[in-house]
Amino acid sequence: MEFKDNEAIYLQIAAYVCDNILLEKWPPEQKIPSVRDLAVELEVNPNTVMRSYEFLQNQQVVYNKRGLGLFVSPDGYETVKKLRKENFLQQNLPELFKNMYMLDISAAEIQDRYEKFKAENYGLTPNKKEDEDK
C-alpha cells in the first residue's frame, strides 16, 4: 500500500479496512487481520495499526471478541457506508461541482463516465431503473 503524505497513516489504514468491508471482502461478523498480520502486510509499525483499529472501534465499525481478535460489526457495512457517504457529500462533492462548473462538464458526461467506470472495474451494467432515470 502506498501512503499519501497529506493524511495520517492510521487514517489511511482505517480507510483500507473500510474499503475491504464495503467491497464485502470482510463481511459482518468476520474476523479481520490481527494487528501484527496487517502491520506486516502493509509494512507499518504495529502501533499504527493498533491506532487504526482503535479508531474503527470508536466508530463502531469493528469490535473486539476478547481472546479471539477483532471482527467486523454486524452493521459495519452500513456504518462505513453512512460515514463515507456523509464525508463525500460534505467534502468531495462541492469540489467536484466546482470543477464541473469551471471546466464546463455536464452531469450527463459524468454519468456516462461513471457507467463506463462501473463496467470496466466491477463488471456492472446499468439496471433498468438507471436507464429510466436517464
Side-chain angles (χ1 to χ4, degrees):
M1 180 172 175
E2 288 190 36
F3 295 103
K4 299 175 249 166
D5 292 336
N6 61 345
E7 185 179 26
I9 291 175
Y10 85 96
L11 291 175
Q12 293 178 64
I13 294 170
Y16 170 80
V17 172
C18 290
D19 287 350
N20 281 301
I21 292 169
L22 287 176
L23 293 170
E24 299 179 335
K25 292 180 181 177
W26 299 347
E29 299 294 340
Q30 179 173 316
K31 186 178 188 315
I32 64 173
S34 70
V35 168
R36 182 177 294 143
D37 289 345
L38 192 59
V40 168
E41 179 183 333
L42 300 179
E43 299 177 354
V44 297
N45 187 304
N47 291 330
T48 306
V49 175
M50 178 59 82
R51 187 170 180 197
S52 300
Y53 282 175
E54 287 172 355
F55 173 78
L56 292 170
Q57 282 183 281
N58 290 335
Q59 299 291 318
Q60 299 179 335
V61 172
V62 299
Y63 70 98
N64 188 18
K65 282 188 182 178
R66 191 174 175 102
L68 297 176
L70 287 168
F71 290 76
V72 177
S73 297
D75 59 349
Y77 177 89
E78 290 81 13
T79 301
V80 170
K81 191 171 183 177
K82 180 182 171 191
L83 292 169
R84 284 268 182 100
K85 186 174 185 175
E86 188 59 35
N87 183 54
F88 178 81
L89 293 174
Q90 298 238 345
Q91 294 187 10
N92 301 91
L93 199 55
E95 186 68 21
L96 174 66
F97 287 157
K98 176 183 167 188
N99 284 314
M100 287 174 65
Y101 174 76
M102 290 189 317
L103 301 172
D104 195 26
I105 299 171
S106 71
E109 187 175 346
I110 296 293
Q111 179 69 32
D112 289 343
R113 295 208 179 211
Y114 176 63
E115 295 303 329
K116 288 177 188 170
F117 170 82
K118 287 192 315 186
E120 291 170 0
N121 292 283
Y122 301 103
L124 302 175
T125 56
N127 62 29
K128 284 191 170 199
K129 174 79 172 113
E130 287 175 323
D131 287 340
E132 292 168 3
D133 290 343
K134 285 186 182 176

